[in-house]
Amino acid sequence: MQKYPSSLLENAVNEFAKLPGVGRKTALRLVLHSLKRTPEEVRNFGQAIIDLREQVNYCKVCHNICDEEVCEICSDRNRQSSVICVVENIKEVMAIENTGQYKGLYHVLGGIISPMDGVGPRDLEINSLEERVNNGGISEVILALSTTMEGDTTNYYIYRKLSHTDVKVTVIARGVSIGDEIEYADEITLGRSIINRTIFSDSFKV
Amino acid sequence: MQKYPSSLLENAVNEFAKLPGVGRKTALRLVLHSLKRTPEEVRNFGQAIIDLREQVNYCKVCHNICDEEVCEICSDRNRQSSVICVVENIKEVMAIENTGQYKGLYHVLGGIISPMDGVGPRDLEINSLEERVNNGGISEVILALSTTMEGDTTNYYIYRKLSHTDVKVTVIARGVSIGDEIEYADEITLGRSIINRTIFSDSFKV
């Protein structure tokens, strides 16, 4: 066990080392860096994360992080409120927003079904999604989860949950990435991209 | 510019992105991770670094970080108080302490002379080192700085500063690392290790 010359230092290193992907050496480097900053800068840093955790608010419609009761996306009247894109986390909301290709709303599950990690359907915002759909006005639910076994399981679970409604359930296209060479694409992706081929003239549409 | 769904989130990401080696993507990952922790855990994290910065104390003898007026090493009567090892930072103190090979005291400069970064001799604890030596009772000063141009410059500067005293100024051995194969050692290191060869029977000594 590394011995630290000060208990305050040791405590700060221990706390930094709890961050994902941060080992004790990196933690020490980060902590020592902060000793070169002004006390005010360090206070701003520490307070920012405390404030976020204590005052964080989730949109009561889509469960995205937001400052108000309802997030900017959900309260934007120019968006297509009949389409819901189901994502795992707010990072995916940000990624899809960055594409500029989507004008509908979102539903943030807060994770995916993963028995290995002890995450079941009840730990996720699936019931509230069903409720949103049951409340009417929704024509399409787009599933945009990771292409993993957990993602596929969650997709299927949601699909079953919504099968009694007349909402169209779609899933984002899986296929060869743009810029990729066909010969290097893995066979599962390539196979899927052949099965899910689109009408050529449709591929111009934005 | 990435748009964040919440100003609290954006603020926290901005603060994390100021850490060295942390980009905005990593910052977002770290911040979102903290939303999965309890508010108390996050408060402990934020407070630990604020407390360190505001209450940090430096040993008035060697300038190492410590909890008391004088650090544990300087106040340890079992250590050899006539030998001072000059290091750049507290990381080097910890590294040397980990070897278990050194029983003397330290002097933490707080950096090395680096005109490129605007660090001159006055920004470092060099005068206080001279003072310690002038106060008497010191037989040897070991220079343990990095083998860089800045380290060499600082070594030479300290050497000149202490040249009027009768203190022995030594520098840690430069040579082929233990476990390294000779054929892969760089020529400067290998050359130095030949010039600074030691009497074979001395190399058993610990």
Side-chain angles (χ1 to χ4, degrees):
Chain A
M1 190 67 187
Q2 175 72 56
K3 214 175 151 280
Y4 293 91
S6 144
S7 55
L8 285 166
L9 179 73
E10 183 168 6
N11 190 25
V13 171
N14 286 342
E15 288 295 338
F16 268 77
K18 288 178 190 167
L19 294 174
V22 176
R24 299 193 72 79
K25 282 225 164 182
T26 307
L28 179 62
R29 192 167 54 84
L30 297 177
V31 167
L32 290 181
H33 167 78
S34 70
L35 287 177
K36 292 185 183 159
R37 300 172 74 190
T38 67
E40 204 193 339
E41 283 174 331
V42 175
R43 176 163 282 282
N44 286 343
F45 168 81
Q47 204 60 48
I49 191 74
I50 294 174
D51 286 350
L52 171 70
R53 185 63 192 90
E54 290 186 350
Q55 297 165 32
V56 67
N57 199 29
Y58 294 95
C59 171
K60 64 179 186 178
V61 179
C62 74
H63 307 284
N64 192 4
I65 290 176
C66 65
D67 290 331
E68 315 290 326
E69 281 264 282
V70 174
C71 78
E72 274 182 36
I73 296 173
C74 287
S75 53
D76 185 347
R77 296 192 166 245
N78 291 320
R79 297 189 73 119
Q80 208 180 339
S81 63
S82 63
V83 184
I84 296 177
C85 180
V86 177
V87 292
E88 186 179 333
N89 234 311
I90 78 138
K91 269 193 275 194
E92 285 78 38
V93 174
M94 288 165 63
I96 295 175
E97 283 298 287
N98 280 343
T99 68
Q101 297 292 337
Y102 180 65
K103 295 294 165 212
L105 307 183
Y106 292 93
H107 193 87
V108 180
L109 294 180
I112 45 179
I113 297 172
S114 171
M116 291 281 281
D117 302 317
V119 180
R122 280 155 193 244
D123 302 313
L124 307 174
E125 292 293 346
I126 294 180
N127 284 340
S128 58
L129 172 66
E130 211 186 340
E131 223 170 86
R132 271 177 89 177
V133 171
N134 286 340
N135 286 344
I138 308 297
S139 61
E140 182 177 356
V141 169
I142 305 172
L143 302 173
L145 303 180
S146 306
T147 336
T148 56
M149 210 164 66
E150 289 84 4
D152 289 345
T153 307
T154 315
N155 278 343
Y156 190 68
Y157 185 89
I158 294 172
Y159 170 71
R160 286 289 300 272
K161 275 276 183 185
L162 301 179
S163 58
H164 67 279
T165 68
D166 55 356
V167 158
K168 183 165 74 172
V169 178
T170 57
V171 68
I172 55 166
R174 315 297 191 182
V176 180
S177 293
I178 291 172
D180 267 13
E181 294 188 45
I182 302 290
E183 63 170 320
Y184 299 119
D186 70 285
E187 56 253 51
I188 297 175
T189 302
L190 189 55
R192 185 70 82 90
S193 76
I194 290 170
I195 295 168
N196 293 352
R197 62 195 177 279
T198 46
I199 305 288
F200 184 64
S201 58
D202 284 357
S203 67
F204 304 137
K205 284 199 274 184
V206 232
Chain B
M1 190 66 189
Q2 174 71 58
K3 214 174 149 284
Y4 293 91
S6 146
S7 55
L8 285 168
L9 179 72
E10 184 168 4
N11 190 24
V13 171
N14 286 342
E15 288 294 339
F16 268 77
K18 288 179 190 166
L19 294 174
V22 176
R24 299 192 71 81
K25 282 225 164 181
T26 307
L28 179 62
R29 192 167 56 83
L30 296 177
V31 167
L32 290 181
H33 167 79
S34 70
L35 288 176
K36 291 185 181 157
R37 301 172 72 190
T38 66
E40 204 193 339
E41 282 173 330
V42 175
R43 176 163 281 283
N44 286 343
F45 168 80
Q47 206 59 48
I49 190 76
I50 294 174
D51 286 350
L52 172 68
R53 185 61 191 88
E54 291 186 348
Q55 297 164 34
V56 68
N57 199 28
Y58 294 94
C59 171
K60 63 179 185 176
V61 179
C62 73
H63 308 282
N64 192 7
I65 291 176
C66 65
D67 290 332
E68 314 292 326
E69 281 264 283
V70 174
C71 78
E72 274 182 35
I73 295 173
C74 287
S75 53
D76 185 346
R77 296 194 165 244
N78 291 321
R79 296 189 74 120
Q80 206 181 338
S81 63
S82 63
V83 184
I84 298 176
C85 179
V86 177
V87 293
E88 185 179 336
N89 234 311
I90 78 139
K91 269 193 274 194
E92 285 78 41
V93 174
M94 288 165 63
I96 296 175
E97 283 298 288
N98 280 344
T99 68
Q101 297 294 336
Y102 181 64
K103 294 295 165 214
L105 307 183
Y106 292 93
H107 193 87
V108 180
L109 294 180
I112 45 179
I113 297 173
S114 171
M116 293 279 282
D117 302 319
V119 180
R122 278 155 195 247
D123 302 315
L124 307 174
E125 294 292 348
I126 294 180
N127 284 340
S128 58
L129 172 65
E130 211 187 339
E131 222 170 87
R132 270 179 89 177
V133 172
N134 285 339
N135 287 344
I138 307 297
S139 61
E140 182 177 356
V141 169
I142 304 172
L143 302 172
L145 303 179
S146 306
T147 332
T148 57
M149 211 164 67
E150 289 83 5
D152 289 345
T153 306
T154 314
N155 278 344
Y156 190 67
Y157 185 88
I158 294 172
Y159 170 71
R160 285 289 297 274
K161 275 273 184 189
L162 301 180
S163 57
H164 67 279
T165 68
D166 56 354
V167 158
K168 183 164 73 172
V169 178
T170 57
V171 66
I172 55 167
R174 314 299 191 181
V176 180
S177 293
I178 290 171
D180 269 13
E181 295 188 45
I182 301 292
E183 62 170 319
Y184 298 119
D186 70 283
E187 55 253 51
I188 297 174
T189 302
L190 189 54
R192 187 70 83 92
S193 76
I194 290 171
I195 294 168
N196 294 350
R197 64 197 177 276
T198 44
I199 303 289
F200 185 64
S201 57
D202 284 358
S203 67
F204 303 137
K205 285 198 274 184
V206 232

